[in-house]
Amino acid sequence: MRVHVVDPSAYTPPYDHALCRALAAAGAEVELYTSHFAHGPVAPADGYRRRELFYRLATRVPAARARRVIKLAEHVPDMLRYRRAALAADVVHFQWLAVQYFDARLLPSNRSAAGARRPLVLTAHDILPREARPGQRMAQRRLYEHFDAVVVHSEHGRGRLIDEVGVEADRVHVIPHGVFTHLAAHAPPPFETDKPVVLCFGLMRPYKGIDPLLEAWRGIDDAELWIAGAPRMDISALTAGAPPNVRFVPRFIGDDELPGYFRRADLLVLPYREIDQSGVLFTALAFGKPLLLSDVGGFPEIAATGAARTFPAGDPPALHAALRELLDDPVARAAMAQRSQDLAAGEYSWDAIARRTLALYERLLAG
């Protein structure tokens, strides 16, 4: 089976790599169509081919505004170029489509020239765009109509797609997010401390709930809170008002540094206001870490496994109490960490994900 995995903007290189490698290991012939990742090195292709077909000029422009303009200018010709390349595929699996207004008209056909099925699959990493531009959510809803199957990472996401967006139930398939075990290397910790470390990792955006986390942290003096990731918002007020035992690392952290943060952490906290599922969560599972999660999106499904606990989103007193309880209970943290390791080796392993994904492709090809 010839499978194309397509992530034009290289939004999720770790996910793209892990999925392609697992599908190839399961017997598929896999090509990843993407663009150059401007923020750092990515994992080398392993068992699959990587083709940087998209945005070959834009990704080499350092200025963000100029890069966006050039990227938009390249988008239509690059999508048309990929549509020709897709003629060689049996299945086309998009991970992201960022210009929803145009993309529905630029997708490859789900039929070959001879009339054979060529299923189009989309993974809905975000059910609807957050921080959306005018008209973007409506364009995303229309885009779903063009796919033979839509993959989501949680039952919560499936429910939203069916009830909120209106996608037919038989086109929505739950396949869990896989654990990023290929990131679980060794690296020195970024800071030296004898105190327990609580880590909040990832791009800093308004929906990530950093402000209630800082409010909840007040009064916790016997641990350190590390907030690490590139800001996509103004964090000056947050950093100015943070307690002294909070360390901000406001920059992109590459795969070479990432293990140092996760290995040193005693607890991962994700206080999101909204989410479907999180790649940071599945990175934490790769390191066998306990998790404290807000009760939004697919997070309660992870808590049900025993690897995480939840608290009411946007509730600083409840978050403070949950942090205090876990920091005071190393036995509970150890039990949660063991469940994380079990999940990484079991139902959230990429071997399991690849089997379920290939089974979906085969059902679509069979009609």
Side-chain angles (χ1 to χ4, degrees):
M1 183 189 304
R2 296 166 298 178
V3 177
H4 285 187
V5 174
V6 190
D7 179 4
S9 293
Y11 280 149
T12 49
Y15 186 96
D16 300 338
H17 168 75
L19 177 62
C20 290
R21 183 174 67 171
L23 291 173
E29 181 182 332
V30 183
E31 291 183 277
L32 170 62
Y33 283 83
T34 187
S35 55
H36 173 73
F37 187 64
H39 303 290
V42 298
D46 181 4
Y48 64 93
R49 292 192 181 101
R50 177 187 177 91
R51 301 191 185 279
E52 294 183 353
L53 180 145
F54 293 92
Y55 317 131
R56 288 170 291 181
L57 295 177
T59 54
R60 286 163 173 80
V61 174
R65 182 172 295 180
R67 185 166 60 245
R68 285 194 295 270
V69 171
I70 297 171
K71 180 178 176 180
L72 186 59
E74 290 185 283
H75 184 75
V76 171
D78 285 352
M79 285 290 288
L80 293 174
R81 186 179 297 113
Y82 174 67
R83 189 158 69 179
R84 292 191 294 271
L87 295 174
D90 297 313
V91 177
V92 174
H93 189 161
F94 280 90
Q95 298 304 312
W96 298 90
L97 285 164
V99 191
Q100 295 92 338
Y101 313 100
F102 303 141
D103 287 334
R105 298 178 176 87
L106 299 172
L107 293 171
S109 171
N110 64 357
R111 294 277 178 180
S112 71
R117 294 179 62 84
R118 184 193 298 115
L120 299 184
V121 181
L122 174 66
T123 293
H125 293 277
D126 288 338
I127 303 302
L128 290 170
R130 286 183 287 270
E131 305 165 12
R133 298 180 295 276
Q136 192 177 17
R137 286 189 167 214
M138 181 58 70
Q140 181 71 37
R141 285 186 167 96
R142 291 172 179 161
L143 188 62
Y144 285 130
E145 298 171 3
H146 296 268
F147 286 89
D148 300 286
V150 183
V151 172
V152 292
H153 294 315
S154 68
E155 292 294 339
H156 171 269
R158 174 179 164 82
R160 282 193 69 197
L161 266 182
I162 296 169
D163 299 333
E164 183 178 339
V165 182
V167 179
E168 297 91 339
D170 61 356
R171 289 198 294 123
V172 183
H173 304 267
V174 179
I175 299 178
H177 196 301
V179 172
F180 290 140
T181 50
H182 73 279
L183 297 178
H186 290 272
F191 310 108
E192 294 295 334
T193 179
D194 295 328
K195 294 181 177 181
V197 171
V198 177
L199 177 63
C200 180
F201 191 91
L203 295 177
M204 300 183 199
R205 295 186 182 274
Y207 75 86
K208 296 289 186 75
I210 297 172
D211 44 339
L213 171 60
L214 290 172
E215 186 177 344
W217 191 256
R218 297 191 181 281
I220 298 177
D221 302 318
D222 56 344
E224 288 191 8
L225 173 62
W226 296 358
I227 302 175
R232 295 293 185 266
M233 64 182 190
D234 183 3
I235 63 167
S236 56
L238 298 177
T239 56
N245 59 339
V246 177
R247 298 182 190 262
F248 274 89
V249 186
R251 60 178 177 82
F252 178 80
I253 296 165
D255 294 354
D256 55 339
E257 293 183 88
L258 176 150
Y261 288 83
F262 281 83
R263 289 198 179 279
R264 180 58 187 85
D266 297 282
L267 176 67
L268 266 290
V269 60
L270 299 178
Y272 296 2
R273 291 182 167 92
E274 58 174 317
I275 197 64
D276 177 44
Q277 207 46 278
S278 164
V280 175
L281 188 162
F282 287 88
T283 304
L285 294 180
F287 288 89
K289 296 298 176 178
L291 293 137
L292 180 58
L293 311 171
S294 54
D295 61 349
V296 295
F299 283 180
E301 296 169 36
I302 303 299
T305 69
R309 292 185 183 177
T310 61
F311 64 92
D315 187 338
L319 176 52
H320 177 92
L323 286 164
R324 187 71 272 165
E325 183 176 356
L326 283 171
L327 286 169
D328 290 341
D329 193 345
V331 174
R333 296 202 311 269
M336 294 163 68
Q338 183 58 56
R339 284 298 296 137
S340 291
Q341 294 173 39
D342 295 342
L343 291 170
E347 62 188 282
Y348 296 154
S349 71
W350 281 102
D351 288 346
I353 304 306
R355 287 194 297 270
R356 293 178 65 167
T357 304
L358 286 173
L360 171 60
Y361 296 164
E362 288 165 357
R363 289 197 300 273
L364 293 171
L365 286 166

